[in-house]
């Protein structure tokens, strides 16, 4: 027990003294200036993306113009013997066209999720809405990783 406590204390001092910090812990939203030129497709996913991207305004940085096109599909994945749908495949595909002073980049980010069918339609719609929000947040994070690669 004493060895375990000493080891944990030693580990604490080593990790706090070495300057360790997680890579994505720092919120450095001020290194880019994003202007959304056009967005079309799924309204819910686009509204989350636009609201997250509007926080990136920095007059001292290069301006990047973005065009966003989002496709969202909910398809039947499996059915029971009686013909009732058991699972859905939710997929979101977002295409980005980024232009800057000396860069033009096009890429696509895709997210998929398998959802079970609910007996209650209200619960199913709420669950699907929360999945869409999670997909939009994942797409946003992947977009920020692409911006870090550009910089």
């Amino acid at each position: 027990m004493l060895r375990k406590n000493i080891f944990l204390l030693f580990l604490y001092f080593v990790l706090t003294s070495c300057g360790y910090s997680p890579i994505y812990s720092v919120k450095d939203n001020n290194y880019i200036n994003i202007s959304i030129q056009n967005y079309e497709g799924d309204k819910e996913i686009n509204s989350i993306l636009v609201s997250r991207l509007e926080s990136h305004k920095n007059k001292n940085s290069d301006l990047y113009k973005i065009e966003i096109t989002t496709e969202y599909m909910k398809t039947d994945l499996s059915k029971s013997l009686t013909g009732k749908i058991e699972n859905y495949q939710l997929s979101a595909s977002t295409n980005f066209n980024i232009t800057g002073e000396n860069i033009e980049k096009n890429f696509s980010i895709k997210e998929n999720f398998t959802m079970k069918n609910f007996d209650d339609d209200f619960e199913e719609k709420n669950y699907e809405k929360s999945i869409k929000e999670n997909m939009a947040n994942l797409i946003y994070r992947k977009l920020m990783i692409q911006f870090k690669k550009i910089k």
Side-chain angles (χ1 to χ4, degrees), residues 2-46:
L2 183 61
R3 279 188 171 174
K4 185 178 178 183
N5 289 340
I6 290 174
F7 177 73
L8 289 175
L9 185 64
F10 174 74
L11 186 64
Y12 172 76
F13 284 124
V14 168
L15 288 179
T16 58
S17 301
C18 71
Y20 169 79
S21 65
I23 294 173
Y24 298 113
S25 68
V26 179
K27 302 280 186 187
D28 52 354
N29 292 344
N30 296 328
Y31 72 96
I32 54 177
N33 188 9
I34 296 177
S35 171
I36 301 166
Q37 299 299 309
N38 187 19
Y39 57 93
E40 45 188 51
D42 187 69
K43 291 180 183 179
E44 292 178 41
I45 293 175
N46 282 342

Side-chain angles (χ1 to χ4, degrees), residues 57-72:
K57 301 283 185 200
N58 183 9
K59 302 292 185 200
N60 299 331
S61 181
D62 293 339
L63 176 65
Y64 294 101
K65 298 177 182 177
I66 297 182
E67 293 180 8
I68 304 170
T69 306
T70 303
E71 276 187 38
Y72 176 77

